[in-house]
Amino acid sequence: MKLVAVVVACLAVVAAVAVAAPQFGRLRDPRFIAIVRDNRQDRGDGNYKFEYEGDNGIYVDGSGKQGVSGGSNMAGYYRFPLPEGGVAEVRYTADENGFRVQSPLVPTPHPLPDHAIEQIRNAEEQRRRGIIWD
């Protein structure tokens, strides 16, 4: 009888653990992401390179070298999955000329209307001729 009670108790514990455990494919704890690739190189002279990838689809690749003015020039690329599907991709460069990014995610301004372009041309022409408005 005690053996049956022990077996039932063990089965109850196993069932409770199975119900409480996250179900793969349905629930996933976003705090825990397996790193499937991790490559890093640092020569200690300002030149470095890194690359890593998570099992959630995030990929990062970057490198840096010492710039002309002593700062660090960096360039890289990263991608990540979008919640609605698809993948976002971003390329960047940071150096003496500032930070520049290339991605379809970066918003671009609307084109100026023709009348605004004409006003800008008129102002440039007036400035060239020395006309100054108070």
mmCIF file with all atom_site columns, all heavy atoms in Angstrom, residues 20 37 45 55 57 65 91 111 118:
data_model
loop_
_atom_site.group_PDB
_atom_site.id
_atom_site.type_symbol
_atom_site.label_atom_id
_atom_site.label_alt_id
_atom_site.label_comp_id
_atom_site.label_asym_id
_atom_site.label_entity_id
_atom_site.label_seq_id
_atom_site.pdbx_PDB_ins_code
_atom_site.Cartn_x
_atom_site.Cartn_y
_atom_site.Cartn_z
_atom_site.occupancy
_atom_site.B_iso_or_equiv
_atom_site.pdbx_formal_charge
_atom_site.auth_seq_id
_atom_site.auth_comp_id
_atom_site.auth_asym_id
_atom_site.auth_atom_id
_atom_site.pdbx_PDB_model_num
ATOM 1  N N   . ALA A 1 20  ? 3.550  22.770 -15.356 1.00 0.00 ? 20  ALA A N   1
ATOM 2  C CA  . ALA A 1 20  ? 4.150  24.064 -15.036 1.00 0.00 ? 20  ALA A CA  1
ATOM 3  C C   . ALA A 1 20  ? 5.269  24.454 -15.992 1.00 0.00 ? 20  ALA A C   1
ATOM 4  O O   . ALA A 1 20  ? 5.573  25.626 -16.154 1.00 0.00 ? 20  ALA A O   1
ATOM 5  C CB  . ALA A 1 20  ? 4.693  24.057 -13.607 1.00 0.00 ? 20  ALA A CB  1
ATOM 6  N N   . ARG A 1 37  ? 26.472 31.336 -32.404 1.00 0.00 ? 37  ARG A N   1
ATOM 7  C CA  . ARG A 1 37  ? 27.773 31.733 -32.960 1.00 0.00 ? 37  ARG A CA  1
ATOM 8  C C   . ARG A 1 37  ? 28.293 32.918 -32.162 1.00 0.00 ? 37  ARG A C   1
ATOM 9  O O   . ARG A 1 37  ? 27.558 33.834 -31.852 1.00 0.00 ? 37  ARG A O   1
ATOM 10 C CB  . ARG A 1 37  ? 27.609 32.144 -34.426 1.00 0.00 ? 37  ARG A CB  1
ATOM 11 C CG  . ARG A 1 37  ? 28.918 32.494 -35.087 1.00 0.00 ? 37  ARG A CG  1
ATOM 12 C CD  . ARG A 1 37  ? 28.748 32.932 -36.519 1.00 0.00 ? 37  ARG A CD  1
ATOM 13 N NE  . ARG A 1 37  ? 27.665 32.186 -37.148 1.00 0.00 ? 37  ARG A NE  1
ATOM 14 C CZ  . ARG A 1 37  ? 27.276 32.367 -38.387 1.00 0.00 ? 37  ARG A CZ  1
ATOM 15 N NH1 . ARG A 1 37  ? 27.865 33.248 -39.137 1.00 0.00 ? 37  ARG A NH1 1
ATOM 16 N NH2 . ARG A 1 37  ? 26.279 31.670 -38.905 1.00 0.00 ? 37  ARG A NH2 1
ATOM 17 N N   . ASP A 1 45  ? 45.018 47.081 -30.323 1.00 0.00 ? 45  ASP A N   1
ATOM 18 C CA  . ASP A 1 45  ? 45.535 48.320 -30.909 1.00 0.00 ? 45  ASP A CA  1
ATOM 19 C C   . ASP A 1 45  ? 44.418 49.174 -31.499 1.00 0.00 ? 45  ASP A C   1
ATOM 20 O O   . ASP A 1 45  ? 44.661 50.067 -32.298 1.00 0.00 ? 45  ASP A O   1
ATOM 21 C CB  . ASP A 1 45  ? 46.567 47.996 -31.992 1.00 0.00 ? 45  ASP A CB  1
ATOM 22 C CG  . ASP A 1 45  ? 45.991 47.149 -33.123 1.00 0.00 ? 45  ASP A CG  1
ATOM 23 O OD1 . ASP A 1 45  ? 44.809 46.741 -33.027 1.00 0.00 ? 45  ASP A OD1 1
ATOM 24 O OD2 . ASP A 1 45  ? 46.722 46.893 -34.092 1.00 0.00 ? 45  ASP A OD2 1
ATOM 25 N N   . ASP A 1 55  ? 19.752 32.086 -31.312 1.00 0.00 ? 55  ASP A N   1
ATOM 26 C CA  . ASP A 1 55  ? 18.809 31.141 -31.907 1.00 0.00 ? 55  ASP A CA  1
ATOM 27 C C   . ASP A 1 55  ? 17.449 31.776 -32.195 1.00 0.00 ? 55  ASP A C   1
ATOM 28 O O   . ASP A 1 55  ? 16.586 31.156 -32.782 1.00 0.00 ? 55  ASP A O   1
ATOM 29 C CB  . ASP A 1 55  ? 18.643 29.912 -31.015 1.00 0.00 ? 55  ASP A CB  1
ATOM 30 C CG  . ASP A 1 55  ? 17.920 30.197 -29.718 1.00 0.00 ? 55  ASP A CG  1
ATOM 31 O OD1 . ASP A 1 55  ? 17.760 31.372 -29.353 1.00 0.00 ? 55  ASP A OD1 1
ATOM 32 O OD2 . ASP A 1 55  ? 17.508 29.227 -29.058 1.00 0.00 ? 55  ASP A OD2 1
ATOM 33 N N   . GLY A 1 57  ? 17.167 34.359 -34.198 1.00 0.00 ? 57  GLY A N   1
ATOM 34 C CA  . GLY A 1 57  ? 17.266 35.009 -35.506 1.00 0.00 ? 57  GLY A CA  1
ATOM 35 C C   . GLY A 1 57  ? 18.041 36.311 -35.518 1.00 0.00 ? 57  GLY A C   1
ATOM 36 O O   . GLY A 1 57  ? 18.238 36.905 -36.571 1.00 0.00 ? 57  GLY A O   1
ATOM 37 N N   . LYS A 1 65  ? 38.338 50.086 -36.278 1.00 0.00 ? 65  LYS A N   1
ATOM 38 C CA  . LYS A 1 65  ? 39.766 50.357 -36.384 1.00 0.00 ? 65  LYS A CA  1
ATOM 39 C C   . LYS A 1 65  ? 40.012 51.781 -35.927 1.00 0.00 ? 65  LYS A C   1
ATOM 40 O O   . LYS A 1 65  ? 39.092 52.592 -35.864 1.00 0.00 ? 65  LYS A O   1
ATOM 41 C CB  . LYS A 1 65  ? 40.259 50.144 -37.812 1.00 0.00 ? 65  LYS A CB  1
ATOM 42 C CG  . LYS A 1 65  ? 39.593 51.044 -38.823 1.00 0.00 ? 65  LYS A CG  1
ATOM 43 C CD  . LYS A 1 65  ? 40.061 50.732 -40.215 1.00 0.00 ? 65  LYS A CD  1
ATOM 44 C CE  . LYS A 1 65  ? 39.365 51.660 -41.210 1.00 0.00 ? 65  LYS A CE  1
ATOM 45 N NZ  . LYS A 1 65  ? 39.786 51.433 -42.558 1.00 0.00 ? 65  LYS A NZ  1
ATOM 46 N N   . ARG A 1 91  ? 22.609 48.404 -41.897 1.00 0.00 ? 91  ARG A N   1
ATOM 47 C CA  . ARG A 1 91  ? 24.059 48.581 -42.059 1.00 0.00 ? 91  ARG A CA  1
ATOM 48 C C   . ARG A 1 91  ? 24.413 49.964 -41.512 1.00 0.00 ? 91  ARG A C   1
ATOM 49 O O   . ARG A 1 91  ? 23.668 50.914 -41.722 1.00 0.00 ? 91  ARG A O   1
ATOM 50 C CB  . ARG A 1 91  ? 24.457 48.498 -43.525 1.00 0.00 ? 91  ARG A CB  1
ATOM 51 C CG  . ARG A 1 91  ? 24.255 47.144 -44.112 1.00 0.00 ? 91  ARG A CG  1
ATOM 52 C CD  . ARG A 1 91  ? 24.900 47.022 -45.500 1.00 0.00 ? 91  ARG A CD  1
ATOM 53 N NE  . ARG A 1 91  ? 24.664 45.716 -46.041 1.00 0.00 ? 91  ARG A NE  1
ATOM 54 C CZ  . ARG A 1 91  ? 25.296 44.609 -45.705 1.00 0.00 ? 91  ARG A CZ  1
ATOM 55 N NH1 . ARG A 1 91  ? 26.250 44.672 -44.814 1.00 0.00 ? 91  ARG A NH1 1
ATOM 56 N NH2 . ARG A 1 91  ? 24.998 43.451 -46.244 1.00 0.00 ? 91  ARG A NH2 1
ATOM 57 N N   . PRO A 1 111 ? 9.139  64.188 -50.306 1.00 0.00 ? 111 PRO A N   1
ATOM 58 C CA  . PRO A 1 111 ? 9.734  65.150 -51.227 1.00 0.00 ? 111 PRO A CA  1
ATOM 59 C C   . PRO A 1 111 ? 9.081  66.517 -51.068 1.00 0.00 ? 111 PRO A C   1
ATOM 60 O O   . PRO A 1 111 ? 7.894  66.618 -50.745 1.00 0.00 ? 111 PRO A O   1
ATOM 61 C CB  . PRO A 1 111 ? 9.459  64.550 -52.610 1.00 0.00 ? 111 PRO A CB  1
ATOM 62 C CG  . PRO A 1 111 ? 8.440  63.490 -52.418 1.00 0.00 ? 111 PRO A CG  1
ATOM 63 C CD  . PRO A 1 111 ? 8.453  63.105 -50.979 1.00 0.00 ? 111 PRO A CD  1
ATOM 64 N N   . GLU A 1 118 ? 10.858 76.023 -55.654 1.00 0.00 ? 118 GLU A N   1
ATOM 65 C CA  . GLU A 1 118 ? 10.976 77.318 -56.353 1.00 0.00 ? 118 GLU A CA  1
ATOM 66 C C   . GLU A 1 118 ? 11.353 78.431 -55.385 1.00 0.00 ? 118 GLU A C   1
ATOM 67 O O   . GLU A 1 118 ? 12.182 79.280 -55.696 1.00 0.00 ? 118 GLU A O   1
ATOM 68 C CB  . GLU A 1 118 ? 9.664  77.641 -57.074 1.00 0.00 ? 118 GLU A CB  1
ATOM 69 C CG  . GLU A 1 118 ? 9.711  78.902 -57.892 1.00 0.00 ? 118 GLU A CG  1
ATOM 70 C CD  . GLU A 1 118 ? 10.737 78.861 -59.016 1.00 0.00 ? 118 GLU A CD  1
ATOM 71 O OE1 . GLU A 1 118 ? 11.002 77.763 -59.549 1.00 0.00 ? 118 GLU A OE1 1
ATOM 72 O OE2 . GLU A 1 118 ? 11.284 79.920 -59.358 1.00 0.00 ? 118 GLU A OE2 1
#
